[in-house]
Amino acid sequence: MKVEAKLDYPRIPQGEAATVRLLVRLTPEPANRARRIPLDIALVLDRSSSMHGEKLQCVKEAAGELVSCLSPEDTVSLTAYNDRVLALAAPTRVGEGRQALRSAIERIESGGTTALCAGFTQGGDLAATAVSEDRISRILLLTDGLANVGVTDPERIALVVDRFIAQGIGTSTIGVGEGYNEELLAKMADRGGGTTYFLRSPREATDVFAEELRDLSSIDARDIAVRFVPAIDRLLAQQLNTYVEEWQWRWRVGDLFGEVPRCLVIEIRVPPLMQEVGTSVVIGTVELTFARPVADGFERSSSSIPVSLAVTTRDEMAGVRPDREVTLEAAFPVASRALAEAMRLADAGEFDEAATLLRSCAERLEAQDLEDERLHAQLQSMRERARRLREERTDFYGPMERKGMCAEAQYGSKGLLVKTRAMQERAARHRSSGAAGARAVYSCYLVNGHVLAEVDGGRLLVDTGAVTSIGERDCVELLGRRHPVAASYMGTTLSDIEQLVGTRITTLLGADVLSRYDVRIDLESGAFELAEGELPLHPPVIRIDDFQGVPIVRARIGGREERFFVDTAAKLSYVHSTLSSHWMPDGTDTDFFAGFGEFTVETGTEQIELGGRVRRVRFATLPPLLEGSLALAGVRGILGSALCEESALTLSSRRRSIAFG
């Protein structure tokens, strides 16, 4: 984790009180990340009567998929509640109990009212029996209704969350539809150091579980707390964000995951400084405490950064502009506060006032000329909301819109705009599920064994085996939709991949984006097809599992059925070394994997049966370090781009299917 602290104004006039803003930015460093820490997941599922039918079925399927995606050393406990609470599974190691957990989920039936606090407490108590310093423990609470049995007071429920976080057990909350209390779930996630999610449709549950799993699997630091310790008298400080304040000027930031920075902006009121002009004065210290992942768990760490202001004259301050980065990061929580206040006004029926507030905030922030694409998109959204609040009023501001605004305010107040985009794209995707939707066909071809596609002037490496997309820019546009992409993955940049592939690439298109579409790769006709709706699946059609979005198929090799990743960017296919002992090597070749780099391997040919068809595939064995990583997903090999050479491949992650034909 990289820690930065900087002021918008590094100096103030002598003898004058001033207000400055301090940006504390925490940036993940994936290249330094230790192995994936085992997870303890406590699933707490609402089974009240309002969950009847498709809603509960979608949630059960999503929970089953979550269990399928977890690693053998992870544990899962299962609680289901209505007015009665059922502890269906104590913490169970997934490696031995995967099928039993799926069966327990499938047996859940709906009926009754909603004892949310009792169900949540039972889930936390189960998690507490397995909590350990060398594991990540998280309660995932899903509900579609109001807490209406037992403890219903939000403050009392929040105290239960506090009790579990003190034991090292975090909380994330998932609300489905329009009937739940979004502010309660947001408060629970906030106090529990997790994320709150809003699902317009129960069909989004699989995506949300996968998103939460990706976050938990990529934690760079956990239990982060930031404290500002003043070094001079009469100084005042407050955050612009909405992190939980544990005590005066100490904020609980939570976990740092993926590649998204977390920012805390502190507004500091500095009393008049009477030191000589040119003197540097330490006004305080930023103190951080956190746990960082190491080989066998987590290690407690701390760091501190002094914060200094220079004393200058009023004349020297004339014309000085505030630091752009600090001003930009302050803009997001300011906009989120305006959004939250607009909700309060709209709740009271004051739609014109809410619209005026949003529009004036957007104009003030735009006048700062920060020229940031993320901020521009947020300001456009504020203006559009202002227009609809003024013109459509209650026709626009219904329960679903309020829940979306609440989630956006939560994300924006912490600078997590990537969560807002994910929520919007998830909703758009499932609105078009089953419909024809947009579709397009682009040219594609192989370069050195890798599938490339020409899309709207860009050259995309189609990589079903990559968890995260990376690119030259911070987003890629497909079928009129913009998807955020990272600058690097596990320390590997696009430039690194270009050198390994041997040609220019603008984007590596990974499973996080590909899973949002139906995808067809037909190298014989040179066609790469994307569809928001459903593409036809020509036999043989094979059901897939996935690990963090990467598709997994079952194939027979050496008389045994094994699980294989489908990786269209892998030039070679691979099997575990224990399955290749009888091979006669027929040559050598080179390949690469993100975060590992290029390597040379001996190759041999082996026969597999996939979807009822027998194929001869050129295989190799992975270097030991990479081979060990396969065990995390319970797979024994990788099927590479050769699958696309033999026949067209159609992948529909949403329908859990892949077809060759």
Side-chain angles (χ1 to χ4, degrees), residues 16-258:
E16 297 183 22
T19 299
V20 296
R21 287 174 173 175
L22 172 66
L23 168 64
V24 181
R25 180 163 50 204
L26 313 174
T27 304
E29 295 184 292
N32 299 329
R33 197 169 284 157
R35 69 178 180 85
R36 202 269 246 173
I37 303 296
L39 306 176
D40 293 331
I41 302 296
L43 281 174
V44 181
L45 305 181
D46 186 345
R47 66 182 186 103
S48 60
S49 57
S50 59
M51 290 288 294
H52 180 70
E54 181 195 25
K55 193 179 292 184
L56 183 60
Q57 187 57 39
C58 287
V59 168
K60 287 162 59 173
E61 290 175 2
E65 293 297 337
L66 174 66
V67 171
S68 298
C69 293
L70 289 168
S71 299
E73 68 270 27
D74 297 330
T75 70
V76 174
S77 63
L78 178 62
T79 300
Y81 69 91
N82 49 18
D83 49 309
R84 294 176 55 244
V85 177
L86 300 179
L88 298 177
T92 302
R93 191 65 64 94
V94 172
E96 295 83 32
R98 202 184 301 267
Q99 187 53 50
L101 287 165
R102 290 196 194 109
S103 297
I105 291 167
E106 190 55 40
R107 289 195 298 271
I108 298 173
E109 295 183 353
S110 62
T113 49
T114 309
L116 183 148
C117 187
F120 175 74
T121 302
Q122 176 65 78
D125 288 341
L126 287 177
T129 65
V131 72
S132 170
E133 278 291 320
D134 61 355
R135 303 173 72 85
I136 298 170
S137 185
R138 181 63 55 90
I139 304 168
L140 300 185
L141 169 70
L142 184 145
T143 184
D144 76 330
L146 300 173
N148 52 26
V149 175
V151 176
T152 60
D153 178 58
E155 281 303 321
R156 291 180 62 189
I157 296 173
L159 291 175
V160 181
V161 179
D162 290 343
R163 171 160 67 88
F164 290 132
I165 197 70
Q167 298 176 62
I169 304 167
T171 297
S172 287
T173 57
I174 304 165
V176 184
E178 63 179 38
Y180 70 92
N181 183 338
E182 59 269 27
E183 292 183 340
L184 169 62
L185 295 198
K187 180 189 285 287
M188 293 177 71
D190 220 17
R191 298 276 276 266
T195 303
T196 189
Y197 297 94
F198 165 44
L199 281 61
R200 291 180 179 273
S201 162
R203 294 190 298 272
E204 299 177 40
T206 298
D207 293 349
V208 164
F209 281 148
E211 184 178 336
E212 179 75 3
L213 180 57
R214 284 195 296 272
D215 292 346
L216 294 175
S217 299
S218 61
I219 285 181
D220 199 57
R222 63 179 292 194
D223 302 333
I224 303 168
V226 179
R227 183 185 181 198
F228 181 75
V229 182
I232 59 176
D233 294 334
R234 296 185 296 130
L235 180 146
L236 298 173
Q238 65 177 1
Q239 65 166 330
L240 293 185
N241 310 84
T242 59
Y243 294 112
V244 174
E245 188 166 9
E246 297 181 311
W247 61 77
Q248 188 180 41
W249 303 349
R250 175 184 162 95
W251 299 279
R252 187 194 301 159
V253 176
D255 300 332
L256 186 66
F257 49 79

Side-chain angles (χ1 to χ4, degrees), residues 169-405:
I169 304 167
T171 297
S172 287
T173 57
I174 304 165
V176 184
E178 63 179 38
Y180 70 92
N181 183 338
E182 59 269 27
E183 292 183 340
L184 169 62
L185 295 198
K187 180 189 285 287
M188 293 177 71
D190 220 17
R191 298 276 276 266
T195 303
T196 189
Y197 297 94
F198 165 44
L199 281 61
R200 291 180 179 273
S201 162
R203 294 190 298 272
E204 299 177 40
T206 298
D207 293 349
V208 164
F209 281 148
E211 184 178 336
E212 179 75 3
L213 180 57
R214 284 195 296 272
D215 292 346
L216 294 175
S217 299
S218 61
I219 285 181
D220 199 57
R222 63 179 292 194
D223 302 333
I224 303 168
V226 179
R227 183 185 181 198
F228 181 75
V229 182
I232 59 176
D233 294 334
R234 296 185 296 130
L235 180 146
L236 298 173
Q238 65 177 1
Q239 65 166 330
L240 293 185
N241 310 84
T242 59
Y243 294 112
V244 174
E245 188 166 9
E246 297 181 311
W247 61 77
Q248 188 180 41
W249 303 349
R250 175 184 162 95
W251 299 279
R252 187 194 301 159
V253 176
D255 300 332
L256 186 66
F257 49 79
E259 298 188 4
V260 180
R262 299 293 288 267
C263 294
L264 169 66
V265 183
I266 306 171
E267 198 163 71
I268 304 173
R269 179 67 175 173
V270 184
L273 300 180
M274 305 308 298
Q275 287 82 352
E276 292 183 7
V277 170
T279 302
S280 181
V281 180
V282 175
I283 62 170
T285 303
V286 174
E287 295 184 349
L288 289 95
T289 59
F290 55 94
R292 63 186 186 91
V294 293
D296 57 351
F298 287 90
E299 178 181 82
R300 297 288 169 179
S301 300
S302 62
S303 63
S304 62
I305 303 174
V307 180
S308 300
L309 274 173
V311 179
T312 187
T313 66
R314 170 172 283 279
D315 289 343
E316 289 180 342
M317 286 293 295
V320 175
R321 291 179 59 85
D323 182 276
R324 178 187 175 277
E325 286 183 280
V326 180
T327 306
L328 174 62
E329 293 302 335
F332 297 120
V334 167
S336 294
R337 285 190 176 191
L339 188 61
E341 179 58 26
M343 288 170 55
R344 306 293 172 259
L345 291 168
D347 288 344
E350 298 176 0
F351 296 107
D352 291 338
E353 292 81 354
T356 298
L357 174 69
L358 288 176
R359 188 164 189 85
S360 61
C361 179
E363 289 172 352
R364 287 197 310 273
L365 293 176
E366 189 170 55
Q368 295 176 338
D369 294 327
L370 294 170
E371 297 182 356
D372 180 82
E373 189 173 322
R374 298 170 301 156
L375 182 61
H376 176 72
Q378 188 165 9
L379 300 185
Q380 289 291 94
S381 175
M382 291 173 72
R383 287 193 183 89
E384 176 62 12
R385 272 207 172 98
R387 182 190 68 79
R388 298 193 68 181
L389 283 168
R390 192 182 302 278
E391 295 177 3
E392 302 175 35
R393 308 173 89 78
T394 54
D395 289 340
F396 169 67
Y397 188 72
M400 299 289 260
E401 177 60 23
R402 191 187 194 283
K403 286 168 171 56
M405 290 173 69

Side-chain angles (χ1 to χ4, degrees), residues 430-498:
H430 286 280
R431 276 198 298 270
S432 64
S433 179
R439 61 192 293 180
V441 180
Y442 309 96
S443 65
C444 75
Y445 43 84
L446 281 183
V447 173
N448 194 24
H450 305 287
V451 178
L452 299 185
E454 301 282 348
V455 177
D456 298 333
R459 180 180 283 184
L460 280 55
L461 173 61
V462 183
D463 189 350
T464 59
V467 173
T468 301
S469 300
I470 61 177
E472 291 181 333
R473 301 182 177 179
D474 62 1
C475 66
V476 61
E477 185 168 327
L478 301 171
L479 303 184
R481 294 162 55 189
R482 297 164 67 86
H483 303 282
V485 299
S488 64
Y489 176 65
M490 297 180 66
T492 299
T493 66
L494 201 64
S495 177
D496 297 329
I497 293 173
E498 286 179 336

Side-chain angles (χ1 to χ4, degrees), residues 582-601:
H582 62 286
W583 280 4
M584 289 295 294
D586 60 10
T588 63
D589 209 333
T590 60
D591 206 346
F592 72 89
F593 279 88
F596 189 89
E598 192 172 36
F599 52 87
T600 301
V601 289

